[in-house]
Amino acid sequence: MANRNNPPRKSLSAKQLSIPKAPTGITGLDEITEGGFPTGRPTLVSGSAGAGKTMLATEFLVRGATQFNEPGVFLMFEENSEELTANVRSLGFDLDKLSAEKKIVLDHVRIERSEIEETGEYDLEGLFIRLDHAIRSIGAKRVVLDTLEALFAGLPSHAILRAELRRLFRWLKERGITALVTGETGEASLTRYGLEEYVADCVITLDHRVTGQVSTRRLRVVKYRGSSHGTNEYPFLIGEHGLSVLPITSLRLDHAAPTERFPTGIDGLDQMLGGKGVFRGASILVSGSPGTGKSSIGASFVNAACRRGERAILFAYEESADQIVRNMRSIGLDLAPWIKKGLLQIHASRPTLQGLEQHLLAMHDLIADFNPSVVAVDPISNLTFVRDDIEVKPTLMRLIDHLKKHEITAVFTSLTSGANSTTAPEDSQVGVSSLMDVWLLLRNHEMNGERNRTIYVLKARGMSHSNQVREFLLNDSGISLVDVYIGTDGVLTGTSRVAQEARERSDAELRLQSHARKLRQLASKRKTIESQIAALQADLDVESAELDFSVAEEAARIENDRRNLDKMAIRRGSQLSAKDSLKKGKR
């Protein structure tokens, strides 16, 4: 328990606890070493011939001088300055310019064993004086010694060699110089003398292996005193811009998640994805058996991006660029104008042209130069021709994370087998479906002697999506999706669906005609009844008029009788009124 005498220690981050480090500026290496090489201490880089030791050392020195304002001294014992300058010029490193600017000192020390034997005992004292002068001349912070084997080639005694080796590393450390020493790999140890790895504070091994006629360079941090570091083997490449280390396990899932969505270029597919398409920066897997339309969907994504005025890159491993343009034109996708406008690049090559890492590095460089918003790779399953699945998945993981980090939407097509209506849902051939945000599964549906394509959304992270199967049509007018017919006889596609839909339309038309006929009969009957009612009403009116006439006639007769009686009474002289006469008559 903490008390006043033993106050609790403040927790420190791993970076705070680590020793000071000098960044190398090499892509990926600083991430693996969590900051670079130990500052003021020697680092040993061992490897076989051609592994890339001198290139790594040169870039460490050049990056230090140009990016971190740390001048350096390159002490070489095999190549001379002119040879080294010429060799690294292809990487864009101008050592002559850096030397003229006093940012780098190149010093070639020629060591001949025959001359040493003639002059007597040999030690490193002269080397220390020479190196110290070079360091002081430009205020160097970094030093490279390339290589130890050439430096100690003149020492016949192993005991003297070990003593001088310890003295060299101690001398470098006492001066606080961040040193990089290269050495060749021994038969049973990391180095030829088996001592360098013990006296160095950081040890890195480079390996150059050939598997399946494809060469690969690997890097591993074997030892790093006072610091945590990645311990796996990491592939690295020497490209046009220097070394690139491709870490995988140290990558963090800290990329942004854009909320913007854009259409896929296929209206029906957008509707299946909630009506808005996919998220920007999403990774989309389109898998299916041969001929299901994977490449067409990938081209639709690319075409839609160009229509929005955005840039896109299509990496193709089966067809040439001209072949893709021609074939896509047959389904209404004309990619040629986008290429002409500079919105689309198609890079087509056989997967065997390069190793996986070289493919990945080439993609990185092209993406960095072109800055696209959509990248399509068609198909990723072809990469397995040069490596097994274990190698392909980490490579794709690196590519996916790189694209996500730059919010680039990626479309990967993958060839699968066993994709028909009776088999279980297939997995992607290279096992990368778990890395994808959206998975579109294309399948062949065979029935009644014909094959039809279907599509459905197997998953779509972060968006509502349809669970319905759609029929997938490719024709001259483009790509379209239609609902499959689901009835008592099962799911119908193709001509079966068309025939069933025609029958349903015919039945509906017959029902409409029957209904109209019944309506006409009803109207006719209503009209007849209304006519009969009118005739009866007319008869009724005639009889009513006749009755009124009879009543009026009777009233007129009575009036006429009264008048006659009145006239008769007047003639007889009677004072009786005709009315009284009538009353008497009635009695």
Side-chain angles (χ1 to χ4, degrees):
M1 179 181 294
N3 52 43
R4 297 181 59 181
N5 296 327
N6 297 300
R9 297 178 60 184
K10 293 181 179 179
S11 61
L12 299 175
S13 64
K15 189 173 182 179
Q16 290 174 309
L17 293 171
S18 180
I19 61 175
K21 295 182 179 180
T24 65
I26 298 174
T27 304
L29 182 56
D30 289 339
E31 186 176 357
I32 294 172
T33 56
E34 299 184 0
F37 295 153
T39 301
R41 301 186 184 189
T43 294
L44 173 67
V45 177
S46 69
S48 57
K53 302 183 295 296
T54 302
M55 288 295 178
L56 190 151
T58 305
E59 186 164 354
F60 165 71
L61 218 58
V62 171
R63 302 287 182 195
T66 57
Q67 298 181 6
F68 307 108
N69 195 27
E70 293 188 357
V73 175
F74 198 115
L75 204 59
M76 62 201 80
F77 306 106
E78 292 181 337
E79 296 176 298
N80 58 37
S81 303
E82 291 74 16
E83 292 171 339
L84 179 65
T85 301
N87 292 339
V88 300
R89 188 173 292 128
S90 61
L91 304 179
F93 301 152
D94 190 348
L95 297 184
D96 288 335
K97 180 182 177 183
L98 293 175
S99 297
E101 295 174 351
K102 297 189 178 302
K103 293 182 177 179
I104 282 181
V105 170
L106 302 177
D107 191 3
H108 174 228
V109 179
R110 191 173 65 89
I111 299 177
E112 290 291 340
R113 183 180 177 87
S114 58
E115 296 178 2
I116 294 172
E117 290 176 349
E118 291 174 358
T119 55
E121 190 175 350
Y122 167 76
D123 60 29
L124 299 181
E125 194 59 35
L127 177 73
F128 292 156
I129 296 173
R130 187 166 179 168
L131 182 57
D132 185 63
H133 172 72
I135 293 172
R136 293 177 184 276
S137 65
I138 61 171
K141 303 294 183 183
R142 302 185 180 198
V143 165
V144 168
L145 301 179
D146 183 45
T147 65
L148 284 180
E149 284 70 26
L151 175 61
F152 292 114
L155 294 178
S157 171
H158 196 68
I160 296 176
L161 185 148
R162 295 173 68 90
E164 290 298 296
L165 193 59
R166 282 196 177 91
R167 196 156 73 100
L168 172 63
F169 278 78
R170 175 55 56 189
W171 187 90
L172 293 171
K173 188 177 291 187
E174 287 176 350
R175 279 154 182 77
I177 298 295
T178 305
L180 192 154
V181 182
T182 65
E184 296 182 1
T185 304
E187 296 181 357
S189 60
L190 294 177
T191 56
R192 177 172 295 184
Y193 304 115
L195 178 65
E196 300 92 314
E197 60 264 39
Y198 295 102
V199 296
D201 290 84
C202 176
V203 177
I204 293 176
T205 61
L206 306 181
D207 178 45
H208 190 193
R209 67 189 69 169
V210 178
T211 305
Q213 301 181 352
V214 177
S215 66
T216 306
R217 288 186 171 91
R218 301 275 173 171
L219 179 149
R220 177 173 172 242
V221 181
V222 180
K223 166 186 174 182
Y224 203 136
R225 285 174 179 159
S227 173
S228 58
H229 58 87
T231 57
N232 295 334
E233 275 193 336
Y234 304 96
F236 74 96
L237 302 169
I238 301 175
E240 297 179 354
H241 306 292
L243 270 75
S244 296
V245 184
L246 309 173
I248 177 172
T249 54
S250 60
L251 287 175
R252 297 178 176 86
L253 296 175
D254 54 0
H255 51 264
T259 57
E260 179 189 0
R261 295 171 69 171
F262 60 82
T264 63
I266 305 172
D267 294 338
L269 182 57
D270 292 338
Q271 295 302 320
M272 295 182 73
L273 294 169
K276 300 179 181 178
V278 298
F279 285 114
R280 183 175 296 278
S283 55
I284 299 129
L285 175 65
V286 183
S287 65
S289 56
T292 50
K294 302 180 296 297
S295 300
S296 300
I297 291 183
S300 296
F301 274 85
V302 168
N303 184 63
C306 294
R307 291 178 62 182
R308 295 192 299 270
E310 301 173 357
R311 295 181 178 180
I313 294 180
L314 173 59
F315 295 101
Y317 298 121
E318 289 183 337
E319 301 173 282
S320 67
D322 289 342
Q323 192 177 1
I324 291 172
V325 172
R326 182 200 65 188
N327 295 344
M328 290 302 113
R329 193 177 289 132
S330 67
I331 59 171
L333 299 178
D334 192 358
L335 303 179
W338 309 131
I339 298 175
K340 188 176 181 180
K341 290 182 178 179
L343 293 176
L344 174 62
Q345 289 185 355
I346 300 178
H347 298 277
S349 64
R350 289 294 181 191
T352 51
L353 177 65
Q354 299 172 320
L356 280 177
E357 291 78 15
Q358 288 175 308
H359 274 298
L360 183 60
L361 180 62
M363 288 179 175
H364 279 213
D365 291 344
L366 291 170
I367 291 168
D369 292 340
F370 194 59
N371 192 26
S373 63
V374 173
V375 169
V377 183
D378 180 38
I380 57 173
S381 47
N382 260 17
L383 297 174
T384 57
F385 288 138
V386 293
R387 295 293 172 86
D388 55 23
D389 294 352
I390 297 176
E391 297 291 334
V392 172
K393 187 172 181 177
T395 301
L396 290 176
M397 187 182 297
R398 295 184 186 102
L399 178 60
I400 291 171
D401 288 337
H402 177 73
L403 296 176
K404 281 183 174 292
K405 184 177 180 180
H406 294 85
E407 299 183 3
I408 299 173
T409 305
V411 183
F412 302 95
T413 67
S414 177
L415 178 67
T416 58
S417 58
N420 56 54
S421 60
T422 59
T423 57
E426 58 273 72
D427 192 6
S428 61
Q429 192 174 357
V430 292
V432 296
S433 58
S434 60
L435 306 176
M436 302 295 176
D437 298 316
V438 179
W439 186 3
L440 306 177
L441 189 58
L442 309 182
R443 306 180 75 178
N444 288 321
H445 190 85
E446 297 182 8
M447 188 175 183
N448 295 331
E450 65 180 36
R451 179 178 62 86
N452 297 290
R453 305 178 181 91
T454 59
I455 183 174
Y456 66 96
V457 181
L458 202 59
K459 75 171 182 181
R461 289 172 176 161
M463 65 184 83
S464 60
H465 57 277
S466 171
N467 63 348
Q468 300 293 315
V469 178
R470 297 285 191 278
E471 188 174 349
F472 178 37
L473 301 180
L474 295 174
N475 47 45
D476 296 342
S477 58
I479 302 173
S480 59
L481 305 184
V482 294
D483 292 341
V484 299
Y485 179 84
I486 302 176
T488 55
D489 297 333
V491 177
L492 301 179
T493 59
T495 57
S496 299
R497 173 185 55 78
V498 174
Q500 180 63 28
E501 290 175 347
R503 282 193 294 271
E504 290 188 350
R505 285 195 298 271
S506 178
D507 293 343
E509 183 65 23
L510 290 176
R511 287 194 297 271
L512 288 175
Q513 292 178 0
S514 176
H515 180 67
R517 182 173 58 83
K518 291 180 179 178
L519 289 177
R520 288 194 299 272
Q521 292 176 347
L522 179 62
S524 177
K525 191 174 183 179
R526 178 182 293 111
K527 190 174 182 180
T528 302
I529 293 174
E530 288 175 352
S531 299
Q532 293 174 351
I533 293 174
L536 293 174
Q537 183 65 42
D539 294 342
L540 180 62
D541 293 342
V542 171
E543 293 180 0
S544 178
E546 187 65 25
L547 181 60
D548 293 340
F549 177 76
S550 299
V551 171
E553 186 179 34
E554 181 63 21
R557 186 186 62 80
I558 295 174
E559 180 65 22
N560 189 44
D561 290 345
R562 183 185 64 79
R563 290 176 179 170
N564 290 335
L565 289 175
D566 289 341
K567 290 179 178 177
M568 290 175 64
I570 293 172
R571 286 178 181 173
R572 292 174 183 175
S574 175
Q575 296 299 322
L576 292 175
S577 64
K579 188 175 181 180
D580 293 337
S581 297
L582 287 174
K583 287 180 180 180
K584 288 179 180 179
K586 288 181 180 178
R587 293 177 186 149

